Amino acid sequence: MLQASVDVDTSEALTERQKAVLDAALRLLVEEGDQLTMTAVARRASCSKETLYKWFGDRDGLLTAIVQWQASKVRVVPVDGKGLTLAS
């Protein structure tokens, strides 16, 4: 398996173009499910398969990048744990 060449742990690590590709790939994943291919993503995102492989390594790398990209958007509100009970 190839190693993804893009570190997507933070949204700052991605270019705007890479973010747009990941958004397109996510939409396609929702539509196609397991049938997602690099060819379909390249077509949807208007980029080459070579670019996808360069940025993400392989299909698994692309799927990992999609999950990490979406997770980076999640913001957690700080909560004071002192007032929390099992019931709350």
Side-chain angles (χ1 to χ4, degrees):
M1 178 186 295
L2 297 172
Q3 184 67 18
S5 61
V6 174
D7 177 13
V8 291
D9 289 336
T10 63
S11 60
E12 293 80 29
L14 296 169
T15 66
E16 290 303 314
R17 180 66 179 130
Q18 289 167 329
K19 292 174 187 179
V21 168
L22 289 175
D23 284 338
L26 177 61
R27 286 191 304 276
L28 191 59
L29 180 63
V30 169
E31 294 169 14
E32 302 292 327
D34 276 354
Q35 304 306 313
L36 179 79
T37 65
M38 297 296 265
T39 300
V41 172
R43 190 174 303 122
R44 174 69 63 95
S46 298
C47 69
S48 69
K49 286 193 320 183
E50 291 78 12
T51 297
L52 293 177
Y53 285 111
K54 178 182 174 188
W55 286 345
F56 306 111
D58 58 10
R59 182 179 181 271
D60 288 340
L62 174 63
L63 293 173
T64 299
I66 291 169
V67 171
Q68 290 176 337
W69 166 232
Q70 291 304 304
S72 74
K73 296 178 182 182
V74 175
R75 300 292 176 245
V76 178
V77 178
V79 176
D80 180 14
K82 294 178 186 174
L84 293 178
T85 65
L86 185 58
S88 66

